[in-house]
Amino acid sequence: MNTEIVIFAVLFLLVSGMGFVAARWRRADDLASLHEWGLGGRSFGSWITWFLVGGDLYTAYTFVAVPALLFSAGATGFFAVPYTVVVYPLVFLVMIRLWSVSHVHGLVTPADFVRARFGSPTLALLVAITGIVATMPYIALQLVGIEAVLKTMGVKGDLPLIIAFAILAAYTYQSGLRAPALIAFVKDILIYVVILVAVIYIPSRLGGWEAIFGKAQAKFDATPAPGDGTLLNANNQLQYVTLALGSALALFLYPHSVTGVLASKSRDVIKRNMSALPAYSLLLGLIALLGYMAIAAGVKPIGTDVNTVVPQLFDTMFPDWFAGVAFAAVGIGALVPAAIMSIAAANLFTRNIYREYIRPDATDAQEASVSKITSLVVKVGAVLFILLIDPQFSIDLQLIGGVIILQTLPSVALGLFGRWFHRAGLIAGWIAGMGSGLLMLYNIANPANKHAHFGGSAFPLEKLGLDTKMTIYAGFLALAVNLVVAVLGTFLARAFKMAEGQDATRPEDYVADRGDPRVHDLEVAGSS
């Protein structure tokens, strides 16, 4: 254990040092603006963006929770693989369009775009609040990964966790988005090395893949649960499909995903990244199989914390020195997304609440200062999530986050392709979608963790009066309600001749075709 702790601590401190040095990496003349502190000067090229966005989307929680879900429920846990495959074609044109208009108008957040597109401060406020609320538990869940590693190494108490996030808060405050961008290189290299070694070395010790899958199926055959197994069945297929599609639609609506994309220096960078990022999905498929390896190895979670199965597997199968490297990979894997998420949430508060309602005449330096302070507050809130709330409950909150952020899809994603929706209809749709989504989540129980409410995202269709045991992703139904109400609200608003908000964007701002001669002019205009 001492060897593991020493190696973990050394690598963690090394990467933290890189976070402080990042302030001088690709240094700007002045970091006192959101464009520099919060978006890295919008100057990141293909390689930096690939590591940054990949490190942002594939988090420490992913590395421990996806295998843990396979360990507990089997094939259902593989939903994360198809959803990270289909997400890139879905957002290819969306993110390019969003970059274009944001680049020209100096927009920093998705709510900035909504404010400019629909001329509605109220709608922009709803989008901003939605993004902050959905991001908060996501940041807290990065602590779950670090906590699982610390438990496995025998480190007790909350102080190490608090120290780790205090260091994160310090270098994020100083370096802004440049810190996670630089750290992402080390984080991804460590993760790739650990996983590639794991999928070759561990199966060789467990008798091969046939033995691993055989033991996994034997475990699920012995349980009374109708939805587990190494294959999907009639009870969980609809949930699997809608959860994968709903998660794909939600992923790039999260503020931290948008932040990573807007930090790119051109549309070509985004195109190359959307083509190359599925390489992470291949890695995710291998990570998921660690759950079956843990079953075959006879790994038991620490107490009731199933998120410890992967660290326990590494501790059991690897020599101490390499287990330390693996634990460091998971721990460092929490730093990159946590930093980006806190920056994105802080930018939303600064641009769409502070500047819009508190100090409209705020200077760039004042904006940057408020955002830095807000990022600290967000991190403190994330730590309190873990210290004051049952960790299993906070994990359920991540599922709620997906349902919540999906309600911004009509105004953000669909708004990029036209202004057919009336702002009043979009606000009504948001209210209906959010209300129905939270109501469905409230009525989902999870006997496994003794939660009568908010026990997951699988909504039983029998609660809608259908004679079936099938479940469906609550976010999928909530989004459908949102869209129906938004359409009806738009018709009614126009029937009663309600005023439209003024669109501050222009058709040429949305140019996405590289062959269009306006592209060069757009980029020149945006960088001047």
Side-chain angles (χ1 to χ4, degrees), residues 109-141:
T109 70
D112 278 352
F113 164 74
V114 171
R115 176 71 170 88
R117 183 62 155 159
F118 295 99
S120 173
T122 302
L123 182 59
L125 177 64
L126 293 177
V127 171
I129 293 174
T130 303
I132 294 170
V133 171
T135 302
M136 282 293 291
Y138 219 149
I139 302 171
L141 288 172

Side-chain angles (χ1 to χ4, degrees), residues 282-330:
L282 173 62
L283 181 68
L284 181 58
L286 300 176
I287 291 172
L289 292 173
L290 294 174
Y292 287 166
M293 294 182 208
I295 295 174
V299 168
K300 302 295 182 184
I302 298 175
T304 59
D305 188 0
V306 72
N307 290 304
T308 58
V309 295
V310 169
Q312 285 284 84
L313 175 68
F314 291 159
D315 188 50
T316 302
M317 304 302 295
F318 288 146
D320 287 351
W321 71 270
F322 195 75
V325 174
F327 294 157
V330 176

Side-chain angles (χ1 to χ4, degrees), residues 441-447 449-455:
L441 290 168
Y442 179 80
N443 286 287
I444 296 174
N446 189 343
N449 53 31
K450 299 179 181 179
H451 288 161
H453 307 289
F454 298 108

Side-chain angles (χ1 to χ4, degrees), residues 248-471:
L249 293 173
L251 186 60
F252 273 86
L253 292 172
Y254 277 105
H256 56 276
S257 302
V258 174
T259 296
V261 170
L262 294 187
S264 305
K265 67 180 181 180
S266 72
R267 271 179 306 279
D268 282 345
V269 168
I270 301 172
K271 291 177 182 178
R272 285 191 287 268
N273 271 271
M274 293 303 154
S275 301
L277 279 169
Y280 277 99
S281 300
L282 173 62
L283 181 68
L284 181 58
L286 300 176
I287 291 172
L289 292 173
L290 294 174
Y292 287 166
M293 294 182 208
I295 295 174
V299 168
K300 302 295 182 184
I302 298 175
T304 59
D305 188 0
V306 72
N307 290 304
T308 58
V309 295
V310 169
Q312 285 284 84
L313 175 68
F314 291 159
D315 188 50
T316 302
M317 304 302 295
F318 288 146
D320 287 351
W321 71 270
F322 195 75
V325 174
F327 294 157
V330 176
I332 295 168
L335 299 181
V336 173
I340 303 172
M341 290 170 189
S342 64
I343 289 170
N347 289 347
L348 279 169
F349 173 82
T350 301
R351 289 293 289 247
N352 308 113
I353 298 177
Y354 175 77
R355 184 173 182 175
E356 184 74 45
Y357 294 98
I358 300 174
R359 191 160 187 177
D361 60 345
T363 64
D364 287 346
Q366 288 169 336
E367 279 189 344
S369 178
V370 170
S371 198
K372 287 179 180 181
I373 295 171
T374 305
S375 73
L376 297 179
V377 174
V378 167
K379 292 184 185 72
V380 171
V383 174
L384 292 177
F385 257 107
I386 297 300
L387 300 184
L388 303 180
I389 299 177
D390 174 11
Q392 181 60 49
F393 183 65
S394 68
I395 290 170
D396 293 336
L397 286 179
Q398 193 275 335
L399 300 174
I400 299 172
V403 176
I404 289 173
I405 201 66
L406 264 177
Q407 306 319 310
T408 65
L409 185 145
S411 54
V412 177
L414 298 185
L416 284 163
F417 292 90
R419 292 188 76 249
W420 184 84
F421 285 106
H422 192 283
R423 56 182 176 175
L426 289 170
I427 292 172
W430 181 92
I431 294 171
M434 193 68 69
S436 61
L438 292 177
L439 181 62
M440 284 186 281
L441 290 168
Y442 179 80
N443 286 287
I444 296 174
N446 189 343
N449 53 31
K450 299 179 181 179
H451 288 161
H453 307 289
F454 298 108
S457 62
F459 183 73
L461 288 177
E462 63 183 0
K463 290 184 179 291
L464 297 178
L466 302 177
D467 184 17
T468 178
K469 296 296 182 183
M470 298 177 70
T471 59

Side-chain angles (χ1 to χ4, degrees), residues 41 64 79 93 100 149 157 174 203 252 254 291 302 311 313 325-326 348 413 456 494:
V64 297
F79 86 91
L93 292 179
S100 295
V149 166
Q174 175 178 316
F252 273 86
Y254 277 105
I302 298 175
L313 175 68
V325 174
L348 279 169
R494 297 215 167 101

Side-chain angles (χ1 to χ4, degrees), residues 464-508:
L464 297 178
L466 302 177
D467 184 17
T468 178
K469 296 296 182 183
M470 298 177 70
T471 59
I472 189 171
Y473 178 47
F476 197 81
L477 282 181
L479 178 61
V481 171
N482 186 332
L483 289 170
V484 169
V485 173
V487 169
L488 293 176
T490 296
F491 279 124
L492 288 174
R494 297 215 167 101
F496 286 97
K497 295 182 170 50
M498 294 179 64
E500 299 269 6
Q502 184 176 0
D503 184 3
T505 67
R506 306 160 300 177
E508 60 266 25

